[in-house]
Amino acid sequence: MDRIHIRGGIPLRGEIEISGAKNAALPLMAAALLSEEPLILENLPRLADIASMADLLEGLGVEIKLNGTTGTTGGRTAELSAKDITETTAPYDVVRKMRASVLVLGPLLARYGKARVSLPGGCAIGTRPVDLHLQAFEQLGAEIELAEGYIEARAPGGLVGAHVIFPMVTVGGTENLLMAAALAKGETVIGNAAREPEVADLARCLIAMGAEIEGVGTDTLRVQGRDALHGALHEVLPDRIETGSYAVAAAITGGDIHLRNARLDLLEAATEALVRAGVSIEETPNGIRVASANGQLKGVDLMTEPFPGFPTDMQAQFMALLAVADGASMITETIFENRFMHVPELCRMGADINVHGSSAIVRGVKQLSGAQVMATDLRASISLILAGLAAEGETIVNRVYHLDRGYERVEEKLAACGADIFRQAE
Ligand code: EPZ
C-alpha cells in the first residue's frame, strides 16, 4: 500500500486547480442509465471512486468512451451510452467498495422496472442505512424485498409519482428519488430535499436530458415524470470539499494559494468559519485566493449540518486547523455518528482534543510534531496530510488508498505550491 511522506513547516504559495466534484460526478454517471441516448459528462475528476462507478456501469452494459480532456477545465470527458442494458444487478463486490453504487437503484427501477443492488454495509463513519431511499421508492409504487444481502426492487407497471417527505435530509436519497421521479408517471414532490450543490447539479443535468424539475436548489423539488429522457452534455461542477481542503492547507501553513476554478458560493459556511479563524479569502476572476498572512489562527466553534450549513465533509480538515489555533474550539458532528476517527491520530501528532459524545473540544497547541499515522476514511486522511504540512519533522500517512478515492493527485498539487511531500509506492 502506498504511503505519503511530508516534511512540514513550509508556507504554501502558488496555484492549485480544483477538479470536478466526486460527489456530483457519481450520481451524474448513474443518471446515464435513464436514457438510451448518450450522456456526455465534462470535467470528471480522475479518482478511484469514478473508476469504480465506471466499472459498475460497464457491468450493467453501459458503454463508456473516455475522450481525454475537452471542455473548459482540465477534467476528463466521458460519453456514457446506456442503449443496451444487459444486467440490472449491482453486485456485492462493487457496492462493498463504494456506497454510492446504490445510486443505480433509482434509474434502473424507473427505466427497467427492476433492480437488484447489494445492500451496502456500515462503514467507518457510521451505520449509513439506505432505508429512506427504499421507503421513497415504495411510495412511488415499487415492491422492495431484502434477500440474501440484496435489495430486490420491482415496479412491473412502472413507478407512479407521489408526495415524498424525507424525515431527515439525505443527499443520496434525494438524488436516487429525483432520478426515479424523472421517469415516473405524473408528478412527484420531494419535501425536505437535500439542498447540497451536487443535488442541484444532478437536477440541472436531468433538465438538460429533458426532465421537468422545479425548485432546484431548494428543499422542495417538483418533478413531472416523462416517458423518456434524451442525451445531453453536462459539465460537472467544481469540488467544494477539495476547495475547502486546500483552503485549509493555505491557512494551516501560513501560506497564500490561488484555487483556480473554485467557487466561493458553494462553500459559504466553511469560508465564514475560515474568516472567523483569521484567514483572508477573496474571490478572483477565475477562483478564490486564500491567505493567512501572519499565520495567527483563532479557535472557532463549528457544528456540521446539511447544506447550506457547515459540511460534515470539512469537519476533519478544520479539526487539524483548529488543533494549532489560539484558544479552544468546539466541533459538533450532527450528520454521522462516528466521524472522529482522526482524533486519536491527530493526538499522536501532539494535538489536544477530547471527544464527548458528538462533540470534540480542541485546545490549540503551538506546534504539532510529525508521526506515522493512518486513517480509515477519506476526509480523515486529508486531515492528517494537512496536520503533517504544519507539523515539525516528518509525517508518514499510511493507507493512502482512502485519499485516492477522493483527491486527484494530492501530492502533486501540494508539491506545486512548495510542500515537501512525496508518495512512496509499495
Ligand atoms: C453524501 O453521502 C456524500 N457522498 C458524503 O460524502 C457526505 O458526507 C454526505 O452526503 C453528507 O453530506 C456522496 O455524495 C457520494 P446522506 P450520503 O444520505 O448520500 C442517514 C465524502 O467524504 N441516512 O445525506 O450517503 C445517514 O446514515 C462523503 O465524500 C439514513 O439514516 O449521505 C447519515 O447519518 C462520505 N437513512 C445521514 O442520513 C438513509 O436512507 C445523511 O446521509 C439515508 C441516510
Side-chain angles (χ1 to χ4, degrees):
M1 271 182 274
D2 293 4
R3 296 162 171 201
I4 287 186
H5 293 244
I6 306 152
R7 276 198 173 275
I10 302 169
L12 301 188
R13 287 178 205 291
E15 184 170 71
I16 291 177
E17 176 165 0
I18 298 304
S19 301
K22 164 181 84 85
N23 289 347
L26 294 172
L28 286 166
M29 290 171 77
L33 290 167
L34 289 166
S35 172
E36 57 173 48
E37 291 179 17
L39 174 64
I40 300 171
L41 295 174
E42 289 185 342
N43 198 29
L44 280 178
R46 293 167 174 80
L47 297 170
D49 272 10
I50 299 298
S52 298
M53 183 57 97
D55 284 349
L56 168 59
L57 293 175
E58 280 176 339
L60 302 176
V62 178
E63 257 185 50
I64 303 182
K65 281 190 226 146
L66 272 176
N67 298 339
T69 304
T70 57
T72 51
T73 57
R76 276 195 296 189
T77 297
E79 184 177 319
L80 299 96
S81 168
K83 191 165 186 299
D84 302 309
I85 291 303
T86 49
E87 181 58 67
T88 50
T89 297
Y92 173 70
D93 271 354
V94 188
V95 182
R96 177 176 61 86
K97 277 195 272 173
M98 190 188 53
R99 298 178 52 85
S101 308
V102 78
L103 293 169
V104 301
L105 190 56
L108 284 177
L109 189 57
R111 185 158 156 222
Y112 297 96
K114 60 175 184 174
R116 196 167 163 265
V117 174
S118 174
L119 201 56
C123 75
I125 61 177
T127 50
R128 300 184 75 185
V130 289
D131 55 328
L132 303 177
H133 301 228
L134 305 187
Q135 283 164 22
F137 294 138
E138 279 175 338
Q139 283 182 261
L140 264 58
E143 291 158 21
I144 312 266
E145 262 179 66
L146 302 182
E148 294 161 1
Y150 276 79
I151 304 162
E152 317 240 2
R154 266 181 224 91
L159 295 171
V160 180
H163 196 145
V164 179
I165 301 177
F166 281 113
M168 67 192 280
V169 177
T170 159
V171 175
T174 305
E175 291 166 343
N176 230 342
L177 178 57
L178 189 58
M179 291 189 277
L183 288 184
K185 287 191 193 78
E187 182 179 78
T188 300
V189 180
I190 310 177
N192 199 23
R195 287 181 282 165
E196 269 64 8
E198 294 75 21
V199 177
D201 205 39
L202 172 65
R204 277 189 287 271
C205 176
L206 295 175
I207 291 169
M209 293 170 78
E212 203 181 318
I213 305 171
E214 276 173 37
V216 176
T218 75
D219 67 358
T220 307
L221 297 167
R222 213 171 264 278
V223 188
Q224 311 299 331
R226 294 268 186 237
D227 291 339
L229 297 185
H230 52 71
L233 174 111
H234 181 81
E235 185 182 297
V236 180
L237 92 173
D239 196 315
R240 63 193 166 104
I241 306 301
E242 190 194 27
T243 305
S245 304
Y246 291 127
V248 170
I252 204 168
T253 61
D256 186 339
I257 304 182
H258 183 240
L259 302 168
R260 189 148 46 91
N261 294 337
R263 271 175 49 190
L264 204 54
D265 61 310
L266 303 180
L267 205 67
E268 278 173 6
T271 304
E272 191 248 344
L274 282 171
V275 169
R276 275 194 289 138
V279 179
S280 88
I281 300 195
E282 89 194 33
E283 211 163 2
T284 68
N286 56 353
I288 304 174
R289 185 175 160 209
V290 184
S292 166
N294 60 12
Q296 278 300 314
L297 297 164
K298 295 188 286 276
V300 292
D301 291 346
L302 302 171
M303 174 146 73
T304 64
E305 286 174 323
F307 191 85
F310 185 89
T312 174
D313 292 346
M314 282 302 301
Q315 181 258 103
Q317 299 88 318
F318 266 75
M319 180 99 64
L321 182 75
L322 297 172
V324 293
D326 281 346
S329 308
M330 184 158 91
I331 300 182
T332 305
E333 171 61 56
T334 72
I335 308 291
F336 292 109
E337 68 269 29
N338 188 27
R339 215 175 192 184
F340 284 141
M341 284 94 54
H342 39 287
V343 171
E345 300 299 299
L346 289 172
C347 290
R348 292 184 55 247
M349 297 178 71
D352 180 355
I353 306 170
N354 281 299
V355 175
H356 302 275
S358 60
S359 293
I361 309 287
V362 186
R363 294 189 176 82
V365 295
K366 287 246 157 337
Q367 180 75 61
L368 295 173
S369 54
Q372 282 238 27
V373 287
M374 67 173 187
T376 44
D377 91 304
L378 168 61
R379 310 302 170 186
S381 305
I382 193 76
S383 84
L384 298 175
I385 300 262
L386 294 167
L389 292 170
E392 193 168 36
E394 191 181 37
T395 297
I396 302 173
V397 182
N398 294 291
R399 297 202 182 169
V400 168
Y401 60 88
H402 288 298
L403 272 171
D404 294 337
R405 293 187 55 185
Y407 289 88
E408 182 174 332
R409 297 178 289 109
V410 65
E411 67 279 15
E412 270 177 52
K413 289 190 182 189
L414 289 168
C417 293
D420 184 349
I421 182 169
F422 70 92
R423 178 185 290 248
Q424 179 192 0
E426 257 181 30

